[in-house]
Amino acid sequence: PGPFPGVIDIYGVGGGLLEYRASLLAGHGFATLALAFYDFEDLPKDYSNLHLDYFEESMYYMLHHPQVKGPGIGLLGISLGADICLSMASFLKNVSATVSINGSGTSGNRTIHYKQTSIPPLGHDLRRSQVTFSGLLDIVDIRNDLVGGHENPSMIPIERAEGPILFIVGQDDHNWRSDLYAQTASERLQAHGKEKPQIISYPGTGHYIEPPYFPMCPASLHKLVNKTVIWGGEFRAHAKAQVDAWQQILSFFSRHLGGTQNRVSPKL
């Protein structure tokens, strides 16, 4: 019986609805909403801009759900989903804790809108991509430089966030340089008088840090470039990182959302 601490779970540029991570969180005592934002049912088939009004509606839904205890919500996102979560934490109220898994802390390739505020896209140049020895594409350097560092206008204003932020970083991320972005986000917070955030970096770990014992995804189709790209990671190191990162995420949410971390007894 609830109510339970609430979490909104968002995936990345692949679109659609992915529920397995939300299901696992639910098994640990969190009322979790797996939130699709494009290419699912009546949602748009692609995204040209990101409007936070849609995500604000999901916050309202969770905060008023009888099984969610509040007073705040946790956010969990990976890749583009992480940047959406960081944007939500920056502009929306009642976000108590945010976990960014290999996010960039920037607007990336699309403008982020909320009411009268717009964050311009950082942009990229596909000419900076490289073809690996296996014939797959490496896009780690296609993004434009963060000119001006943490004051770049494409940076998400995370200093506005009310709750703490946990950055989970794969040091061998080949989607973009997550370690650099996390450090830049940390510099931005401290420059605005905020505490240094918790950053957990994993050597030999690629972009798709999934829950424990999920197979590592070394490469797959990337919708942005419409080609197969490498995600980085060494199998053993990546697998170990997934086990540890999951425990770190559960502990972080339990600490800041008031969860008990009591797990539902398995049926098998």
Side-chain angles (χ1 to χ4, degrees), residues 1-4 31 60-70:
F4 306 96
Y60 183 87
Y61 171 80
M62 288 292 280
L63 288 167
H64 290 82
H65 196 288
Q67 289 292 337
V68 177
K69 72 176 188 178

Side-chain angles (χ1 to χ4, degrees), residues 111-161:
T111 303
I112 298 174
H113 300 276
Y114 182 66
K115 300 190 184 303
Q116 305 305 315
T117 302
S118 295
I119 304 175
L122 181 63
H124 65 277
D125 187 346
L126 288 176
R127 291 175 296 182
R128 290 194 288 266
S129 61
Q130 299 180 14
V131 178
T132 67
F133 70 94
S134 59
L136 302 178
L137 206 61
D138 187 347
I139 61 170
V140 69
D141 288 322
I142 68 170
R143 281 211 162 182
N144 294 337
D145 291 337
L146 275 171
V147 178
H150 61 80
E151 292 300 332
N152 187 287
S154 294
M155 286 286 294
I156 297 167
I158 55 175
E159 68 277 2
R160 300 183 184 181

Side-chain angles (χ1 to χ4, degrees), residues 77-204:
I78 184 171
S79 192
L80 172 60
D83 290 336
I84 291 172
C85 288
L86 291 171
S87 301
M88 293 171 69
S90 300
F91 290 104
L92 308 182
K93 299 295 184 182
N94 302 117
V95 177
S96 295
T98 305
V99 178
S100 165
I101 303 175
N102 281 331
S104 72
T106 75
S107 57
N109 302 305
R110 299 290 187 271
T111 303
I112 298 174
H113 300 276
Y114 182 66
K115 300 190 184 303
Q116 305 305 315
T117 302
S118 295
I119 304 175
L122 181 63
H124 65 277
D125 187 346
L126 288 176
R127 291 175 296 182
R128 290 194 288 266
S129 61
Q130 299 180 14
V131 178
T132 67
F133 70 94
S134 59
L136 302 178
L137 206 61
D138 187 347
I139 61 170
V140 69
D141 288 322
I142 68 170
R143 281 211 162 182
N144 294 337
D145 291 337
L146 275 171
V147 178
H150 61 80
E151 292 300 332
N152 187 287
S154 294
M155 286 286 294
I156 297 167
I158 55 175
E159 68 277 2
R160 300 183 184 181
E162 297 174 353
I165 302 171
L166 169 61
F167 291 92
I168 302 287
V169 173
Q171 292 182 9
D172 192 38
D173 186 349
H174 276 257
N175 183 63
W176 51 47
R177 299 195 180 278
S178 295
D179 49 354
L180 171 64
Y181 287 136
Q183 292 300 327
T184 305
S186 177
E187 291 169 8
R188 183 179 180 102
L189 285 172
Q190 294 177 81
H192 285 83
K194 300 287 185 172
E195 289 186 8
K196 185 177 181 179
Q198 184 180 7
I199 301 175
I200 304 177
S201 297
Y202 296 99

